[in-house]
Amino acid sequence: MLILRTIAEMRDWVRTRRQEGKSIALVPTMGYLHQGHVTLLERARKDCEHLVLSIFVNPLQFGQGEDYEDYPRDLEQDSQIAEQAQVDVIFAPTVKEMYPRGQKTFVDVEELTEPLCGARRPGHFRGVTTVVSKLFHIVTPNFAYFGQKDAQQVAVITRMVQDLNMNIKVEVVPIVRESDGLAMSSRNVYLNEEEREEATILYKALEKARTEILQGQRCSKMIVESIKEFIAQSARAKIDYIEVVDAFSMEPKQELVGSCLIALAVYIGKTRLIDNVVVEV
Amino acid sequence: MLILRTIAEMRDWVRTRRQEGKSIALVPTMGYLHQGHVTLLERARKDCEHLVLSIFVNPLQFGQGEDYEDYPRDLEQDSQIAEQAQVDVIFAPTVKEMYPRGQKTFVDVEELTEPLCGARRPGHFRGVTTVVSKLFHIVTPNFAYFGQKDAQQVAVITRMVQDLNMNIKVEVVPIVRESDGLAMSSRNVYLNEEEREEATILYKALEKARTEILQGQRCSKMIVESIKEFIAQSARAKIDYIEVVDAFSMEPKQELVGSCLIALAVYIGKTRLIDNVVVEV
């Protein structure tokens, strides 16, 4: 397994594989790999002849006062996990390598980025789509893999690829959860023991909502209220948002019909966690 | 020579050439080809094994009240010119083919798009960078050719390619002029006989400015004033802008030093013409 630090090295590697007519998979991450990432890598490993894992904590997608500086990093541990997942190349550029002259060009997806995390984290998705575009141009993958945990990110990137005619297949991999239901996230490491226990409330609330929908509830407002009440039981949890939107367009849904994304962001102590469920009605 | 109308056909053609390891040149145009375009094609023909000419009058880069509907179109004549220039493929998609679901994703270059045409044509460069990104992803050229007549466009696209790590070499080809100095443009066809004569004033004014700089003038304001006075002689000419900026960053220059772009837009009757000169000081 190679660890490449520069765009020039990455391009060289890609050129050779392309000449051999081989397919390339890219799993873009911010590192601090967990089982969710491993699931992406396993899926990618099966689909393509070559597997590239990018690790880059992208300053452009963090807002002021967010956790860019504190975001957990551990390239050594990541390398071991990647090696085990049969990654061919880790592409781990520095910030200077990715933004050598300051970035003046940005990729923006409108409308889909307005609700949910887009409303709470101004500039976040612009940072995501811009860096993913850069990675796509550097690695030129045939397939790129993203986790459903970031449901809005998945919708936004899928739309970007369509709208800009990028010749890449976006593959979405289901949420991987701890045995008690907590969605895997690099940020879970921020939680202390009590918070970690309390954090299962996100999953439990979503499961309750799913059950209510399966039992016939069709009113989004009622579902949101039900989740709100459920989470209010926890003293440590502070709701950032609970929303019901179309799983593809991200348009708010009054009535639960079609592909419904129920998404939420909740602070457990100081740690902001997100989770979601898609219900086909 | 092929004329391809769909993205799928274009991609198929590209895939075969790529498998053969051949290089591809793209000359993106809005059609109604003139000698300026032919110069781009000739240059591209020399550099690459395959030559693609795209013809697409891009609605996204025209503002309200601009000449999108009236923009001259003549695919038959363009085909003859392209054939003669040994173009391999004309890619001429419809608007529906390029924007099948309405465009929600946009590529924006900040700062460089603020002065000159960017200030007078809001959204113009966003339309240009977005459609050029799409064409780049569809055709995946090794080289792309643009005319220096659109100096700001050249700077903006060059910056976009750098910032988004597009693996494409942007080649800039000098302005081609009629024998009396008028810069070639598809929009020259709008001019009536008197206007056509008067239109040479843009070039003459720029040449006067260049001479003054070569004679030692280093004050941008004086140069702009001199051009203004010169153009004021014409009753048919109405100045849209005259500006002196850095040829790469597009930052306004008070003092003429370095790569100075003197750019202007002038209405001759109802037709808006642009022209420019770069002086190395």
Side-chain angles (χ1 to χ4, degrees):
Chain A
M1 188 182 72
L2 292 168
I3 301 180
L4 303 181
R5 293 295 201 159
T6 70
I7 293 166
E9 288 171 304
M10 190 67 240
R11 280 205 205 284
D12 272 350
W13 184 89
V14 167
R15 194 179 306 117
T16 314
R17 272 71 213 169
R18 285 272 167 250
Q19 278 165 1
E20 294 162 358
K22 297 292 172 63
S23 62
I24 296 172
L26 172 65
V27 179
T29 78
M30 298 209 298
Y32 213 73
L33 303 179
H34 51 66
Q35 190 54 40
H37 298 113
V38 172
T39 310
L40 294 174
L41 292 171
E42 286 171 351
R43 176 69 194 288
R45 181 71 280 172
K46 276 185 204 139
D47 292 348
C48 289
E49 288 154 300
H50 293 291
L51 175 51
V52 179
L53 163 69
S54 68
I55 297 180
F56 181 62
V57 184
N58 174 33
L60 214 61
Q61 72 192 67
F62 288 80
Q64 279 230 316
E66 289 187 4
D67 59 344
Y68 171 66
E69 295 295 341
D70 297 334
Y71 198 86
R73 294 158 168 93
D74 188 343
L75 186 58
E76 201 168 315
Q77 186 187 280
D78 286 348
S79 302
Q80 288 170 20
I81 296 172
E83 182 103 52
Q84 207 138 27
Q86 300 176 56
V87 165
D88 296 302
V89 176
I90 297 179
F91 177 53
T94 61
V95 172
K96 185 116 195 273
E97 180 73 9
M98 288 296 275
Y99 302 114
R101 58 188 83 72
Q103 189 79 5
K104 295 207 199 299
T105 307
F106 301 92
V107 179
D108 267 307
V109 179
E110 295 185 346
E111 296 179 35
L112 286 81
T113 54
E114 283 170 15
L116 311 174
C117 288
R120 277 80 188 176
R121 304 183 68 189
H124 168 66
F125 284 113
R126 157 178 264 214
V128 170
T129 43
T130 300
V131 80
V132 169
S133 292
K134 286 165 70 74
L135 291 168
F136 282 179
H137 292 138
I138 294 165
V139 180
T140 67
N142 304 83
F143 293 80
Y145 296 79
F146 296 88
Q148 175 62 24
K149 208 205 87 200
D150 299 292
Q152 191 174 15
Q153 174 174 281
V154 161
V156 166
I157 287 172
T158 301
R159 179 76 196 207
M160 173 188 80
V161 166
Q162 289 173 349
D163 275 357
L164 294 185
N165 305 98
M166 292 169 163
N167 200 5
I168 293 168
K169 183 116 177 35
V170 173
E171 297 284 354
V172 184
V173 176
I175 299 177
V176 179
R177 299 181 178 281
E178 305 283 357
S179 55
D180 62 1
L182 178 65
M184 300 253 182
S185 165
S186 306
R187 289 190 171 100
N188 292 349
V189 75
Y190 296 148
L191 303 167
N192 67 30
E193 208 174 316
E194 293 82 32
E195 288 169 346
R196 172 62 190 80
E197 246 174 70
E198 207 91 342
T200 57
I201 201 160
L202 281 79
Y203 174 66
K204 287 176 188 154
L206 289 169
E207 276 308 294
K208 186 164 175 283
R210 189 214 296 268
T211 307
E212 287 170 12
I213 296 167
L214 296 179
Q215 284 168 355
Q217 182 58 265
R218 291 294 174 270
C219 173
S220 295
K221 217 173 154 184
M222 297 297 284
I223 288 293
V224 170
E225 276 311 310
S226 166
I227 296 176
K228 222 178 250 178
E229 272 174 36
F230 188 83
I231 293 178
Q233 295 171 29
S234 159
R236 284 190 184 82
K238 206 185 117 248
I239 293 164
D240 187 21
Y241 68 77
I242 306 165
E243 288 184 37
V244 181
V245 300
D246 179 85
F248 301 101
S249 72
M250 301 286 115
E251 278 171 34
K253 267 188 193 289
Q254 261 77 58
E255 200 197 337
L256 287 150
V257 59
S259 293
C260 304
L261 172 72
I262 302 147
L264 45 76
V266 176
Y267 284 93
I268 305 291
K270 286 184 174 175
T271 304
R272 184 176 176 277
L273 301 176
I274 60 171
D275 201 348
N276 70 81
V277 63
V278 176
V279 187
E280 301 292 339
V281 182
Chain B
M1 188 183 71
L2 291 168
I3 301 179
L4 302 181
R5 292 296 202 158
T6 71
I7 294 166
E9 289 171 304
M10 191 67 239
R11 280 205 205 285
D12 273 351
W13 183 90
V14 167
R15 194 180 306 117
T16 313
R17 271 72 213 169
R18 285 273 167 249
Q19 280 165 0
E20 295 164 359
K22 299 289 172 67
S23 62
I24 295 172
L26 173 65
V27 179
T29 77
M30 299 209 297
Y32 212 74
L33 304 179
H34 52 65
Q35 190 55 39
H37 299 112
V38 171
T39 309
L40 295 174
L41 293 170
E42 285 170 352
R43 176 67 194 288
R45 181 71 280 173
K46 275 185 205 141
D47 291 348
C48 291
E49 287 154 301
H50 292 292
L51 175 52
V52 178
L53 162 71
S54 68
I55 297 180
F56 181 61
V57 184
N58 174 33
L60 213 62
Q61 71 192 66
F62 287 81
Q64 280 229 317
E66 289 186 3
D67 57 345
Y68 172 65
E69 296 295 340
D70 298 334
Y71 197 86
R73 294 157 168 94
D74 188 342
L75 186 57
E76 200 169 314
Q77 186 188 282
D78 286 348
S79 304
Q80 288 171 19
I81 296 172
E83 183 102 54
Q84 207 138 26
Q86 300 176 56
V87 165
D88 296 303
V89 177
I90 297 179
F91 178 51
T94 61
V95 171
K96 185 116 194 274
E97 181 74 8
M98 288 295 275
Y99 302 114
R101 58 188 84 72
Q103 189 78 3
K104 294 207 199 300
T105 308
F106 300 92
V107 179
D108 268 308
V109 179
E110 295 185 345
E111 296 178 33
L112 287 81
T113 54
E114 283 169 16
L116 312 174
C117 287
R120 276 79 188 177
R121 304 184 67 189
H124 169 66
F125 284 113
R126 157 177 263 212
V128 170
T129 43
T130 301
V131 81
V132 169
S133 292
K134 288 165 70 74
L135 291 168
F136 282 179
H137 293 138
I138 295 164
V139 180
T140 68
N142 303 82
F143 293 80
Y145 296 79
F146 295 89
Q148 175 62 22
K149 207 204 87 199
D150 299 292
Q152 191 173 15
Q153 173 175 281
V154 162
V156 166
I157 287 172
T158 301
R159 180 75 197 209
M160 173 187 81
V161 165
Q162 288 174 349
D163 275 356
L164 294 183
N165 304 98
M166 292 169 163
N167 200 5
I168 293 167
K169 184 114 178 32
V170 173
E171 297 284 355
V172 183
V173 177
I175 299 177
V176 179
R177 300 182 179 281
E178 305 284 356
S179 55
D180 61 1
L182 177 66
M184 299 252 182
S185 165
S186 305
R187 288 190 171 101
N188 291 349
V189 74
Y190 296 150
L191 302 167
N192 67 29
E193 206 173 319
E194 292 83 32
E195 288 168 346
R196 171 64 189 81
E197 245 174 71
E198 208 90 340
T200 57
I201 200 160
L202 281 80
Y203 173 67
K204 286 177 189 154
L206 289 169
E207 277 307 295
K208 186 164 174 284
R210 189 214 297 267
T211 305
E212 287 169 13
I213 296 167
L214 296 180
Q215 284 168 353
Q217 181 58 264
R218 290 295 174 268
C219 172
S220 295
K221 217 174 155 185
M222 297 297 283
I223 288 294
V224 169
E225 277 311 310
S226 166
I227 296 176
K228 221 178 251 179
E229 272 174 38
F230 188 83
I231 293 177
Q233 296 170 29
S234 159
R236 286 190 183 83
K238 207 184 117 245
I239 293 164
D240 188 20
Y241 68 76
I242 306 165
E243 289 184 37
V244 181
V245 299
D246 179 86
F248 301 101
S249 72
M250 300 286 114
E251 277 170 36
K253 268 188 193 289
Q254 260 76 59
E255 199 197 338
L256 286 150
V257 58
S259 293
C260 305
L261 172 72
I262 302 147
L264 46 76
V266 175
Y267 285 93
I268 305 291
K270 289 184 172 175
T271 304
R272 184 176 176 278
L273 300 177
I274 61 172
D275 201 348
N276 69 80
V277 64
V278 176
V279 186
E280 302 291 339
V281 183

